[in-house]
Amino acid sequence: MIEKITYPCEGTCSQQVEIELEDGIIRRAAFLGGCHGNTQGIAALVCGMKAEDAIARLKGIDCRGRGTSCPDQLARALEKALG
């Protein structure tokens, strides 16, 4: 069963991230807003990846001293989804 997650981003140019998870695997990720090429690239790279692996790679990435970034927000959304 595919779980659909919509996560409101905080502290980034992107407003939200939408994720589809199936058995802990990221099937789709898309950002609303943000640097279009970068967010498309992040989304493409994580598709097919285990959510835990994506969290380990993306959590804590900082953008210009904001304390977060689009990749970090994706990691936070995945953590929330995995509960």
Side-chain angles (χ1 to χ4, degrees), residues 25-39:
I25 305 293
I26 302 165
R27 296 296 176 206
R28 181 182 162 277
F31 289 85
L32 175 63
C35 303
H36 190 65
N38 289 334
T39 55

Side-chain angles (χ1 to χ4, degrees), residues 2-82:
I2 294 178
E3 177 184 4
K4 295 182 181 187
I5 298 107
T6 300
Y7 183 83
C9 296
E10 295 181 19
T12 61
C13 298
S14 58
Q15 290 104 18
Q16 73 180 28
V17 61
E18 297 174 354
I19 307 162
E20 292 182 6
L21 283 178
E22 183 177 27
D23 298 323
I25 305 293
I26 302 165
R27 296 296 176 206
R28 181 182 162 277
F31 289 85
L32 175 63
C35 303
H36 190 65
N38 289 334
T39 55
Q40 275 188 318
I42 295 163
L45 288 170
V46 299
C47 283
M49 186 182 285
K50 290 181 181 179
E52 292 91 356
D53 293 342
I55 293 166
R57 291 175 184 229
L58 303 176
K59 186 174 180 181
I61 292 176
D62 182 72
C63 181
R64 299 180 184 181
R66 295 177 180 175
T68 191
S69 64
C70 293
D72 181 62
Q73 290 293 297
L74 175 57
R76 292 179 191 200
L78 290 168
E79 283 184 321
K80 184 175 179 182
L82 296 178

